[in-house]
Amino acid sequence: MSPEIFKKNYNEKCDIWSIGVILYLMLSGELPFKGKNNKEMAEQILMGKYNFDSPAWKNVSNEAQQFIQKLLEIDPEKRYSASEALQDPWITSNVEKPVPNVLADEAINNLRTYRVL
């Protein structure tokens, strides 16, 4: 859920936030916002508090991490729009390149093994 959902004032930028959460999950195998319960997780979302500290991020490019940061921008006015996201260097520089099998396999495995605790 994007921060705007909690404030009941949202638009299509919530979908961009969701793409950021999904991409974070695919690349790391974990959710960006953590907490012992829903309240703590909501607090993390509202603050936009996440990081790239886990070992999973050592194989993920800085460009991919910067792209996620633009998708998970707390201020919806500053957050990427869909058209801006499609023009991001990480997207445009990789659109014609095949995804290395090891990265594709890791992303698929992360989705398969993810479990809500």
Side-chain angles (χ1 to χ4, degrees):
M1 290 178 49
S2 70
E4 305 91 276
I5 300 269
F6 294 102
K7 299 171 186 170
K8 299 185 184 339
N9 182 21
Y10 49 91
N11 58 25
E12 70 281 353
K13 294 278 186 107
C14 291
D15 297 331
I16 301 300
W17 179 276
S18 296
I19 291 168
V21 170
I22 292 166
L23 184 56
Y24 188 105
L25 173 61
M26 288 179 69
L27 294 176
S28 70
E30 54 192 32
L31 289 172
F33 305 100
K34 300 166 184 70
K36 296 175 187 168
N37 53 48
N38 288 342
K39 183 178 186 270
E40 284 186 15
M41 189 178 294
E43 289 170 357
Q44 298 293 311
I45 292 169
L46 288 167
M47 291 186 297
K49 188 174 179 182
Y50 64 94
N51 61 58
F52 298 107
D53 293 341
S54 76
W57 292 104
K58 72 177 180 143
N59 295 323
V60 178
S61 70
N62 287 334
E63 292 83 7
Q65 292 178 37
Q66 290 170 354
F67 181 61
I68 291 170
Q69 288 174 331
K70 291 173 184 170
L71 299 174
L72 295 179
E73 166 61 48
I74 193 81
D75 181 349
E77 295 297 318
K78 294 178 184 174
R79 190 179 309 144
Y80 263 175
S81 66
S83 60
E84 289 170 325
L86 289 172
Q87 298 305 313
D88 185 85
W90 186 69
I91 297 293
T92 59
S93 67
N94 289 299
V95 75
E96 295 296 322
K97 297 178 186 176
V99 175
N101 283 344
V102 69
L103 288 178
D105 292 343
E106 283 181 32
I108 290 169
N109 189 49
N110 286 339
L111 287 174
R112 280 189 190 129
T113 60
Y114 172 74
R115 299 282 187 264
V116 176
L117 299 176

